[in-house]
Amino acid sequence: MDLAYNHQDIEPKWQKKWEDSHVFKADNNSQKEKKYVLDMFPYPSGAGLHVGHPEGYTATDIYCRYLRMKGYEVIHPMGWDAFGLPAENYAIQIGVHPQKSIADNIVNFTKQIKSLGFSYDWDREINTSDPDYYKWSQWFFLLLYKNDLAYKKKAPVNWCESCKTVLANEQVVDGKCERCKNEVIQKDLEQWFFKVTEYADELLDGLDKLEWSHALKTMQKNWIGKSEGAEIKFQITNFKSQINNKFQIPNIKKIYFATGNDAKLKRVKKILAKIAPDLKVEKVPDYVEVEEDGKDAFENSFKKVIPYKGKYDIPVISMDTAVFFDGEDINPLEPKRSALKNIDESKLSQEEICQKMLDFYKNIAQKNNGQKEFYYEDYWTILYPDGIHQQVKNKRDYVLTREELSKVDIYFPMRSLYYSQVTGKSADQTNEEDYFKEFENVSRALKTLLGLQKINPPTSEEALGIKVFTTRPDTLYGATYMVLAPEHKLVQDSKNQIENFTEVEKYIDITKKKSDLERTDLNKNKTGVELKGLKAINPVNQKELPIYISDYVLASYGTGAIMCVPAHDQRDFEFAQKFNLPIIDVVESERKTKVLIIHGLGSNSNENWFQWLKKELEKNNYEVIVPDMPDSEKPVLKIWLQELEKIVFDFTEEDIIVSHSLGSSAAMNLIQKMNLKINKLFLVAPATEFLFQDKGVRDNIESASTEDNKKFTKEFLSAKIDYKKIESNIHKIYAYFSDDDPYISLNQKKDLAKVLEADYKIFKNKGHFSDTCLELPEIIPDILEKIKAREANGTMVNSEEFDGLDSEKAQIKITKKAKGQLTTQYKIRDWLVSRQRYWGTPIPIVYCQKCGTVPVSEEDLPVLLPEDVKDFRPTGQPPLASSKEFNANVKCPKCGTDAIREHDTMDGFVDNSWYYYRYLDPKNEKEFCAKENIKKYMPIDTYVGGAEHAVGHLIYSRFFTKVLRDNGYLPVDRSLGEGGKFDEPFLKLINQGLILGTDGQKMSKSLGNVINPDEIIQEYGADSFRMYEMFMGPLEDSKPWNIDGIKGLRRFLDKNWKYFSSINYGDDFSDQINSALHKAIKKVTDDIQNFRFNTAISSLMIYFKELSSLDNPNKVLVNSYLIMLSTLAPHICEEIWQKLENSGFICQQEWPKYDEKLIKEDKITLPIQINGKLRATIEVEIDVPENDLKDKILELENVQKFINNEKIKKFIYVKGKIVNIVL
RNA sequence: GCUGGAGUGGCGGAAUUGGUAUACGCGAUGGACUUAAAAUCCAUUGGAGGCAACUCUGUGUGGGUUCGAGUCCCACCUUCAGCACCA
């Protein structure tokens, strides 16, 4: 055997041998139990591998090698997340095509990764930028599209007019473009989204069953951001809706309206004339009224329509007008005919009838197990130019089931087209003015109809008004105004109603220009504009509320509008202060606010204005404490503070301290010492250390005080005060001075007020606020002044019949009264997947003149990314628009006419949301992955990667997996019992920590502290490198790189090499070393299973130290050890294994087992404590009984010494652990 | 501001979950080998005191629970990460 350990020979040699023998190949047909261990695949950047990458890879590699030895079929693949911006930016900079640069980078990465000896199954390598791969990314897009989970909508983006491009948030600096310094605007652009929000609740609940770190789970929880609350609608007074939106109608030129009712026709025509003047609306010429004779007629007509749907591909539109049951009309607008006919409707408002109807309806649905829903249907068809029509009408007693409804393309309620929700009358009887009041509903329905989009049926409650979401419906009586997001639809819709619209528009413009940073940076400084001319009505007390717009309300959360309760919400409070809006308390604390009054030198509780103030405040329900301070003629600060601490120990941020003269100094010392956090501090003629900075004042004190006074005052005031701390602990400080105060100069007043940021008042002729000052009325409003919102729960006040109720209990009751609904809101947004970039997966959509947005059919996938794009620079057009190849010969998959391709590509996160499925079947041309392979290997048992993907990749992947589940692509999971489907891709997830630079900072090019692994592997070898990275500390922690550390591990391997070069298998064996071996096996096995490699290594070192004292060690002692070590340092162990003339690969050996009996020691060193301090130890049998032990211990010299003839109170003996003698 | 982590020698970090604090490694100091250096081997290494046996002290700070606390509870300080007007 060679004397020198030469890693440069050994490592490549074994890497080749492993590869040639396919030892790490995962067999899809294996009968062994599987383990899927996955690393987050890297983006192959030009910079190459960085010491952070191999940390996670080494951990999984050790774990996989262990699992294989344990007899599992381990799948452990590697691939490339190759699409992404850096390659494209590189292309812009250097001019190398991304295809080329990525291919080069992959070669380099592969070389680097392979040099570390990882046990990947390279046959499964994937590359997301490979057409064979992204074909299936496109397939996923179509899957989502089919499920209504992919949609296109306008979204605001940062747009630079001069560069003609979308900018990322980081590229916007001070509201200006980073490059050209032009102003950046918020522009609405059509973007593709994935509806992650649909699964928000499930993504949240699913977290519970995952073995992820607590930190990561809470991160996802926060990101999803569920909050429970209520949706409440505020009606708007004097609102006249304006028609100011003209819709683009791309592919419908004429509509036939099938009706016998001329009033309806007239109404529709009128609306369409305004929103789509070019569209022709006609009555179906050969229209025949269908008899109103019940179910059969409707069903027949319904059936007649369906074939047309297939034949001409006509969208069939169904409209709900009322709810029916068993032939009984329960249309609330026609109550006489309804199921509610026995209710005396004359006493009920329309809304109340609606509520009754809804309850009635829910009741029925419940009786039917929710299976059936009941709709009364009117029926429409719309026709393409010169197309065919069919129409069914007015089947008043038909019960339409959900299945039937599903045959219809578009469904939406359109009651308002027929019945006015304002007047309750039918179309024929409603005058035009009333009916335009409902324009909102009607035009929306028509817009949907003409745009051929599916929408959710609006609820019957959704008439005019502002809907808000609130988590505090209990505070509804305290709402004093409303705020809309500047982007709120109502603002534009009520343009003509708003008297100050120019001002409003200006504000909207300004907020559009604000970058996100600006919007949040200035978040204390609230801005906004009132919408003059509009008022909202509080649904519980009918009070009129002003409406504002402000950018502190986000359009993208909740309903984009809020009710504002300044008394109980800090943000609303700040806004209300600024705009002078009323603040009404509706939730009161159960505890009285406390006020402590501290008197000054030589004074007491009865003097001056204190008792007066006490009485005044008690009238206002405050609890006032005025203590007599001890020895007030000769005050000692320490003693005062002791007294005061007893009083303020339970003070909260609600409470107040009023202090006078020397008492102010005591108050500040008290606050500082106790770190007391209170609401307000009043400093009345405060005597502080400032006093002595002015000679004039010093003289004044000299002359006015007795000798005793002087001495004590000086002492009292000499304590240092940390004004900054006091200022930060108190919400507001008030300072009162008098112009003729003999002790305090004007300068001090200013200095003190400034340093404390206090509100200060200067009174006339109040002296030192002592003898002459009997009352101080000015203090009352300051004490009563509200300076922050009280957000806690409590008891209801000012809330009519709810007064006295617990605020939490009032939530549901008040919501009910407001006719609101309990709802849930999420912070998570739909996932914007469009990128106006080249290097990504093309979105498989075409736009057809006739058919609109059409998905590319599956058999035409992949839509290839063209190679003839030369210029990647953003020009306003996405790069794909400039490709000839890409845009030639595009036909509509539906009608075959010319069409235009979607030019945006997809976010790279789409590609990597499903890659772990592709590994299971990387070459499959028919499916993204064969079902049986999913069944064999999913879900992933262990997933290791960086925490930076906590909320992106990990949420999106979970989302994709849930979509697959809902579409039947996931097989039953054995571990979840019969019929159980797995729907979480990553059961256990481990985030490796960062490896920091030697300076303890994050590695970055600019800091020049990046460590290149190549050189280190070159010098010390992959085995040393792997072991060092694992030995640095817990995998999940961040820790700095230290080159000296690796030397220690190299030293350890050198010692191993040297030792195993010098020995032969022999007979050296003892119970002691055998016990050590079994201990090591147990520890290493446990540690590897729990990814605690640092301690595994340390126990191997400890064992090796013992082993290496044997000249001819027993074979088991050596081989068990080598097998364990080989997971960490595979190359050197293979080499030693071979040199010791063992057969086969060490990586294919069986993992050693341990015997619990051999680990147990019969003798231990028992520590002996006296009064909890270690005083002696004793060698004993492990389970020696107390009786045998006690005397022995008491005889020990050191024990005797410490007991020192004292009585033993207690003798505690924990078997096998410790003895503690209590004296 | 909110949420979640983390604070242990000169450094990276251990501590069987409440039972001898500082395992293992690095560094440092002393010694051996060497003409010398490197490498290697041996010894020492939390702080203070003592010739020594040994004693006191010590896990961010201050309290508490316990026979016993790095570990549990309360408050605070520092630090890292994520979110950030989410109604």
Side-chain angles (χ1 to χ4, degrees):
Chain A
M1 205 159 171
D2 298 335
L3 268 176
Y5 161 38
N6 187 346
H7 63 266
Q8 292 187 1
D9 290 343
I10 293 171
E11 290 177 354
K13 171 179 142 192
W14 286 101
Q15 284 157 18
K16 184 156 190 307
K17 283 199 179 192
W18 292 326
E19 194 161 345
D20 293 347
S21 315
H22 301 285
V23 288
F24 304 127
K25 197 172 156 57
D27 178 3
N28 283 353
N29 301 314
S30 163
Q31 294 304 304
K32 292 192 220 165
E33 198 182 324
K34 70 91 188 180
K35 289 280 178 184
Y36 189 171
V37 182
L38 184 66
D39 290 303
M40 287 183 186
F41 65 162
Y43 172 76
S45 75
L49 216 61
H50 154 285
V51 290
H53 285 116
E55 193 193 11
Y57 304 161
T58 304
T60 51
D61 187 62
I62 293 162
Y63 187 53
C64 286
R65 285 173 180 272
Y66 160 78
L67 289 173
R68 282 191 205 97
M69 291 178 177
K70 275 286 210 184
Y72 291 98
E73 187 65 32
V74 175
I75 180 164
H76 187 42
M78 181 43 76
W80 314 108
D81 191 11
F83 271 140
L85 263 178
E88 193 172 329
N89 287 340
Y90 195 64
I92 294 172
Q93 261 178 34
I94 310 290
V96 180
H97 196 281
Q99 199 113 44
K100 166 102 177 63
S101 63
I102 284 291
D104 291 349
N105 293 348
I106 287 177
V107 169
N108 184 38
F109 259 74
T110 308
K111 198 193 85 210
Q112 287 186 301
I113 290 181
K114 285 191 174 175
S115 78
L116 279 152
F118 296 136
S119 61
Y120 293 118
D121 179 355
W122 286 102
D123 293 345
R124 295 173 183 271
E125 180 177 351
I126 55 170
N127 172 345
T128 58
S129 69
D130 185 335
D132 291 340
Y133 182 91
Y134 69 67
K135 170 180 178 178
W136 298 105
S137 296
Q138 291 170 341
W139 178 86
F140 271 92
F141 183 96
L142 296 180
L143 177 71
L144 292 169
Y145 186 80
K146 267 187 259 168
N147 281 280
D148 271 324
L149 294 167
Y151 65 95
K152 205 173 189 190
K153 80 159 191 212
K154 282 198 172 173
V157 291
N158 299 314
W159 179 266
C160 173
E161 276 294 355
S162 87
C163 299
K164 299 243 179 281
T165 184
V166 173
L167 298 179
N169 284 342
E170 308 84 71
Q171 295 170 307
V172 184
V173 181
D174 293 331
K176 285 174 185 166
C177 173
E178 180 186 52
R179 257 179 287 174
C180 68
K181 310 287 176 211
N182 273 327
E183 272 194 2
V184 173
I185 57 165
Q186 295 285 306
K187 193 169 176 176
D188 281 346
L189 284 182
E190 290 272 328
Q191 307 275 313
W192 282 97
F193 288 85
F194 287 166
K195 214 184 271 176
V196 189
T197 50
E198 187 96 359
Y199 286 86
D201 222 5
E202 234 194 293
L203 290 170
L204 188 68
D205 292 345
L207 287 173
D208 289 343
K209 57 187 173 197
L210 298 176
E211 205 184 316
W212 292 14
S213 74
H214 181 65
L216 201 85
K217 282 188 190 181
T218 41
M219 236 191 263
Q220 288 214 349
K221 267 181 204 159
N222 290 344
W223 189 260
I224 295 166
K226 182 177 182 166
S227 22
E228 317 246 7
E231 214 166 64
I232 291 167
K233 200 173 121 187
F234 288 66
Q235 296 289 344
I236 300 174
T237 58
N238 61 352
F239 177 76
K240 287 187 203 114
S241 184
Q242 294 299 315
I243 300 161
N244 48 29
N245 286 332
K246 294 223 181 346
F247 301 114
Q248 291 285 321
I249 301 165
N251 45 23
I252 300 174
K253 287 173 185 144
K254 199 183 217 174
I255 277 193
Y256 289 93
F257 188 63
T259 180
N261 183 328
D262 284 340
K264 285 181 197 167
L265 181 68
K266 199 173 143 198
R267 176 183 279 195
V268 171
K269 271 191 167 176
K270 209 150 206 165
I271 293 170
L272 289 176
K274 301 219 171 173
I275 62 173
D278 301 334
L279 189 78
K280 285 188 182 151
V281 182
E282 281 177 27
K283 194 171 155 180
V284 173
D286 53 350
Y287 175 74
V288 182
E289 281 277 350
V290 181
E291 287 293 310
E292 268 193 53
D293 62 353
K295 198 170 176 173
D296 289 347
F298 181 85
E299 275 184 340
N300 290 337
S301 315
F302 186 81
K303 278 173 195 148
K304 267 192 224 161
V305 176
I306 298 301
Y308 284 108
K309 185 189 171 212
K311 197 170 173 188
Y312 298 100
D313 204 23
I314 300 168
V316 178
I317 293 131
S318 164
M319 293 177 298
D320 174 17
T321 62
V323 182
F324 268 72
F325 174 64
D326 282 352
E328 271 198 284
D329 187 350
I330 51 168
N331 182 347
L333 304 165
E334 293 181 78
K336 277 175 195 157
R337 294 181 55 204
S338 82
L340 306 171
K341 56 192 160 203
N342 45 5
I343 295 172
D344 183 359
E345 69 271 16
S346 63
K347 283 187 189 160
L348 297 173
S349 73
Q350 190 181 319
E351 276 176 315
E352 282 164 324
I353 295 173
C354 276
Q355 194 55 48
K356 294 252 182 226
M357 183 206 79
L358 218 65
D359 292 344
F360 177 76
Y361 168 61
K362 274 183 193 153
N363 212 358
I364 295 164
Q366 259 164 22
K367 274 185 200 159
N368 289 281
N369 294 324
Q371 288 298 310
K372 253 188 170 181
E373 293 192 12
F374 309 92
Y375 295 97
Y376 163 60
E377 294 295 323
D378 260 18
Y379 222 79
W380 270 28
T381 58
I382 58 165
L383 308 178
Y384 291 118
D386 312 315
I388 300 173
H389 67 276
Q390 183 68 35
Q391 205 267 346
V392 184
K393 171 194 177 267
N394 260 6
K395 291 297 124 274
R396 299 230 150 192
D397 50 1
Y398 181 67
V399 178
L400 186 61
T401 63
R402 184 156 270 211
E403 290 82 64
E404 283 167 312
L405 208 60
S406 72
K407 293 177 193 157
V408 180
D409 276 350
I410 299 166
Y411 167 77
F412 57 93
M414 216 174 149
R415 179 180 305 148
S416 52
L417 198 60
Y418 297 93
Y419 298 99
S420 163
Q421 295 201 343
V422 176
T423 64
K425 289 173 185 163
S426 70
D428 329 47
Q429 298 160 329
T430 307
N431 68 31
E432 222 168 80
E433 197 187 311
D434 282 339
Y435 123 80
F436 270 107
K437 283 182 185 164
E438 300 154 48
F439 177 77
E440 194 57 21
N441 280 348
V442 178
S443 68
R444 174 155 133 188
L446 280 168
K447 185 188 168 191
T448 306
L449 171 78
L450 299 172
L452 300 177
Q453 290 168 343
K454 239 177 197 180
I455 60 161
N456 293 324
T459 61
S460 60
E461 284 91 341
E462 192 185 279
L464 284 177
I466 304 173
K467 240 191 205 173
V468 303
F469 173 73
T470 174
T471 53
R472 291 296 300 275
D474 49 317
T475 61
L476 188 50
Y477 282 91
T480 54
Y481 62 98
M482 305 196 71
V483 176
L484 309 181
E487 301 90 339
H488 198 279
K489 210 170 159 293
L490 185 92
V491 179
Q492 297 302 329
D493 284 353
S494 52
K495 201 171 176 172
N496 292 8
Q497 298 293 294
I498 299 171
E499 291 157 14
N500 56 339
F501 195 73
T502 357
E503 198 191 343
V504 168
E505 230 172 5
K506 209 169 132 196
Y507 182 78
I508 294 172
D509 272 357
I510 292 169
T511 52
K512 267 187 186 171
K513 278 177 197 154
K514 276 191 194 171
S515 66
D516 280 3
L517 252 175
E518 277 178 303
R519 243 172 119 150
T520 53
D521 252 14
L522 306 166
N523 79 37
K524 282 256 158 67
N525 209 353
K526 299 273 183 293
T527 58
V529 179
E530 187 181 353
L531 303 180
K532 288 187 178 145
L534 290 183
K535 296 276 182 217
I537 306 286
N538 188 333
V540 282
N541 57 11
Q542 314 309 319
K543 271 194 188 158
E544 272 197 4
L545 308 175
I547 305 170
Y548 287 77
I549 56 169
S550 169
D551 61 7
Y552 88 88
V553 174
L554 306 173
S556 49
Y557 182 77
T559 59
I562 58 170
M563 68 174 206
C564 297
V565 186
H568 305 290
D569 182 287
Q570 188 57 27
R571 294 154 302 180
D572 297 346
F573 180 80
E574 284 158 19
F575 191 89
Q577 291 252 298
K578 181 144 182 195
F579 289 86
N580 258 323
L581 291 155
I583 297 170
I584 302 172
D585 277 299
V586 289
V587 180
E588 209 167 57
S589 169
E590 265 132 57
R591 172 181 173 278
K592 280 186 184 177
T593 303
K594 294 190 177 188
V595 180
L596 167 66
I597 303 175
I598 309 174
H599 65 70
L601 176 72
S603 179
N604 65 51
S605 62
N606 283 319
E607 240 185 79
N608 310 334
W609 41 276
F610 300 148
Q611 291 302 328
W612 167 84
L613 181 59
K614 186 171 195 261
K615 260 181 219 152
E616 288 299 310
L617 290 178
E618 275 165 356
K619 280 184 213 159
N620 284 290
N621 212 21
Y622 284 79
E623 183 185 333
V624 184
I625 308 152
V626 198
D628 283 316
M629 300 312 294
D631 274 329
S632 82
E633 291 291 343
K634 302 173 184 174
V636 179
L637 181 60
K638 217 172 123 188
I639 295 172
W640 279 38
L641 290 182
Q642 273 172 13
E643 283 302 306
L644 291 169
E645 275 179 41
K646 285 183 212 154
I647 298 168
V648 298
F649 75 95
D650 65 343
F651 269 43
T652 71
E653 287 192 49
E654 300 290 312
D655 298 326
I656 295 170
I657 294 178
V658 177
S659 62
H660 176 226
S661 189
L662 203 68
S664 296
S665 188
M668 286 191 276
N669 276 298
L670 181 71
I671 289 158
Q672 179 179 308
K673 188 177 172 207
M674 292 184 71
N675 198 11
L676 188 66
K677 292 189 168 115
I678 57 168
N679 194 10
K680 296 176 188 177
L681 172 65
F682 286 84
L683 304 170
V684 182
T688 70
E689 55 175 350
F690 273 83
L691 287 175
F692 293 98
Q693 286 165 16
D694 188 301
K695 189 175 179 297
V697 175
R698 248 181 353 245
D699 293 344
N700 271 343
I701 296 175
E702 296 275 318
S703 60
S705 310
T706 65
E707 277 305 308
D708 270 351
N709 277 172
K710 256 185 281 178
K711 183 177 158 239
F712 283 101
T713 313
K714 207 161 180 177
E715 217 170 80
F716 203 101
L717 294 179
S718 58
K720 266 266 173 250
I721 291 174
D722 181 351
Y723 292 100
K724 221 174 171 181
K725 178 157 192 179
I726 289 172
E727 194 248 307
S728 71
N729 274 12
I730 295 164
H731 290 115
K732 192 165 177 181
I733 301 173
Y734 300 77
Y736 292 178
F737 302 102
S738 176
D739 58 350
D740 60 345
D741 192 319
Y743 306 117
I744 302 168
S745 77
L746 192 67
N747 280 343
Q748 290 158 28
K749 292 167 197 167
K750 284 192 175 150
D751 287 350
L752 185 67
K754 199 174 163 193
V755 79
L756 287 172
E757 288 185 30
D759 222 42
Y760 77 102
K761 281 184 190 149
I762 296 183
F763 291 77
K764 279 210 155 67
N765 304 324
K766 287 273 185 199
H768 195 53
F769 294 86
S770 304
D771 313 324
T772 52
C773 178
L774 300 174
E775 291 183 1
L776 191 56
E778 292 87 347
I779 199 173
I780 299 292
D782 283 350
I783 287 181
L784 296 181
E785 185 195 6
K786 197 165 172 105
I787 53 164
K788 68 180 180 65
R790 223 189 72 90
E791 296 182 330
N793 280 310
T795 312
M796 304 303 304
V797 289
N798 294 326
S799 300
E800 297 177 4
E801 69 263 37
F802 304 101
D803 283 0
L805 218 62
D806 181 76
S807 64
E808 273 178 279
K809 284 175 189 151
Q811 295 208 343
I812 295 174
K813 294 188 174 175
I814 293 180
T815 304
K816 231 179 195 168
K817 183 170 181 194
K819 304 220 163 46
Q821 287 163 343
L822 297 177
T823 53
T824 307
Q825 283 291 337
Y826 299 91
K827 277 204 272 191
I828 193 171
R829 307 283 149 82
D830 280 344
W831 173 15
L832 197 164
V833 296
S834 305
R835 294 289 180 272
Q836 293 77 39
R837 290 293 193 149
Y838 167 71
W839 190 235
T841 301
I843 294 175
I845 289 286
V846 299
Y847 299 102
C848 167
Q849 279 283 312
K850 264 192 185 171
C851 314
T853 304
V854 184
V856 173
S857 48
E858 265 178 47
E859 53 273 22
D860 293 336
L861 297 182
V863 175
L864 285 171
L865 185 67
E867 287 173 32
D868 64 346
V869 174
K870 293 269 142 47
D871 190 4
F872 307 108
R873 264 169 305 175
T875 57
Q877 287 277 39
L880 290 189
S882 70
S883 164
K884 277 186 190 155
E885 197 182 310
F886 191 68
N887 296 300
N889 261 330
V890 182
K891 300 287 180 210
C892 170
K894 262 191 183 171
C895 67
T897 56
D898 284 350
I900 297 169
R901 273 201 200 289
E902 168 67 60
H903 289 139
D904 285 352
T905 53
M906 283 186 246
D907 180 6
F909 279 112
V910 177
D911 305 294
N912 62 40
S913 288
W914 68 278
Y915 74 107
Y916 42 90
Y917 289 102
R918 193 62 180 169
Y919 279 137
L920 309 179
D921 203 356
K923 308 221 160 62
N924 194 330
E925 289 174 10
K926 302 214 166 67
E927 299 166 88
F928 72 100
C929 177
K931 210 167 183 174
E932 62 264 27
N933 291 359
I934 298 179
K935 188 172 178 181
K936 165 104 186 130
Y937 285 118
M938 285 298 285
I940 291 159
D941 297 277
T942 307
Y943 193 27
V944 177
E948 66 273 20
H949 294 119
V951 288
H953 167 63
L954 290 174
I955 283 196
Y956 300 143
S957 294
R958 296 178 61 215
F959 164 68
F960 264 48
T961 293
K962 288 182 192 301
V963 173
L964 285 176
R965 175 202 62 195
D966 288 348
N967 284 274
Y969 287 101
L970 298 188
V972 168
D973 173 22
R974 301 167 298 274
S975 68
L976 299 174
E978 203 50 45
K981 282 186 177 180
F982 84 87
D983 62 357
E984 287 290 347
F986 317 122
L987 295 183
K988 181 182 172 124
L989 184 124
I990 297 168
N991 285 124
Q992 89 258 21
L994 288 175
I995 292 187
L996 308 169
T998 44
D999 51 2
Q1001 287 184 286
K1002 213 169 163 176
M1003 284 194 194
S1004 78
K1005 254 189 213 164
S1006 58
L1007 285 168
N1009 58 357
V1010 180
I1011 311 284
N1012 184 339
D1014 288 353
E1015 292 158 25
I1016 291 165
I1017 294 164
Q1018 179 80 10
E1019 192 175 346
Y1020 296 96
D1023 286 335
S1024 303
F1025 181 88
R1026 290 166 55 116
M1027 285 193 79
Y1028 173 57
E1029 290 224 335
M1030 293 302 100
F1031 191 62
M1032 287 169 83
L1035 188 62
E1036 309 214 50
D1037 291 3
S1038 291
K1039 54 244 150 185
W1041 179 269
N1042 176 6
I1043 190 65
D1044 287 334
I1046 199 170
K1047 288 180 188 160
L1049 276 301
R1050 170 70 194 204
R1051 213 171 282 164
F1052 172 67
L1053 291 181
D1054 275 337
K1055 281 187 221 167
N1056 273 270
W1057 180 264
K1058 213 164 158 189
Y1059 172 67
F1060 291 112
S1061 301
S1062 69
I1063 55 124
N1064 290 304
Y1065 292 132
D1067 302 329
D1068 290 356
F1069 184 87
S1070 65
D1071 288 348
Q1072 192 200 333
I1073 185 129
N1074 197 36
S1075 166
L1077 172 67
H1078 283 255
K1079 256 192 236 166
I1081 297 173
K1082 181 182 160 74
K1083 178 83 176 128
V1084 173
T1085 307
D1086 274 7
D1087 283 350
I1088 289 182
Q1089 261 163 2
N1090 294 300
F1091 278 67
R1092 289 191 302 241
F1093 306 110
N1094 52 335
T1095 48
I1097 293 172
S1098 116
S1099 40
L1100 285 171
M1101 285 172 164
I1102 293 167
Y1103 174 71
F1104 175 72
K1105 209 170 250 177
E1106 260 190 81
L1107 176 69
S1108 58
S1109 65
L1110 307 182
D1111 293 332
N1112 299 295
N1114 168 289
K1115 192 166 182 175
V1116 176
L1117 294 178
V1118 173
N1119 285 8
S1120 309
Y1121 165 75
L1122 284 176
I1123 289 169
M1124 292 192 286
L1125 185 65
S1126 79
T1127 57
L1128 294 142
H1131 309 88
I1132 188 174
C1133 290
E1134 290 281 8
E1135 186 72 16
I1136 293 172
W1137 186 258
Q1138 191 193 44
K1139 302 251 169 176
L1140 287 172
E1141 294 176 0
N1142 291 291
S1143 59
F1145 288 103
I1146 196 168
C1147 65
Q1148 290 183 318
Q1149 304 305 308
E1150 203 179 309
W1151 188 257
K1153 293 191 177 72
Y1154 62 88
D1155 186 343
E1156 202 68 61
K1157 272 180 266 161
L1158 295 173
I1159 291 167
K1160 239 188 186 175
E1161 288 176 69
D1162 3 298
K1163 282 200 163 182
I1164 57 154
T1165 318
L1166 197 66
I1168 297 156
Q1169 295 184 332
I1170 294 169
N1171 281 340
K1173 283 182 181 166
L1174 184 75
R1175 295 302 180 192
T1177 57
I1178 187 169
E1179 286 278 321
V1180 289
E1181 303 276 313
I1182 186 129
D1183 44 8
V1184 60
E1186 182 170 337
N1187 293 341
D1188 299 1
L1189 186 74
K1190 195 167 174 180
D1191 290 345
K1192 252 195 232 168
I1193 286 175
L1194 294 177
E1195 278 163 20
L1196 289 172
E1197 191 190 333
N1198 221 31
V1199 174
Q1200 289 265 322
K1201 188 172 122 198
F1202 279 92
I1203 290 176
N1204 196 19
N1205 290 328
E1206 279 187 66
K1207 210 180 138 200
I1208 294 172
K1209 281 198 194 126
K1210 232 183 198 177
F1211 186 90
I1212 295 159
Y1213 171 46
V1214 185
K1215 249 183 208 173
K1217 297 264 189 205
I1218 205 159
V1219 170
N1220 194 7
I1221 300 166
V1222 186
L1223 299 176

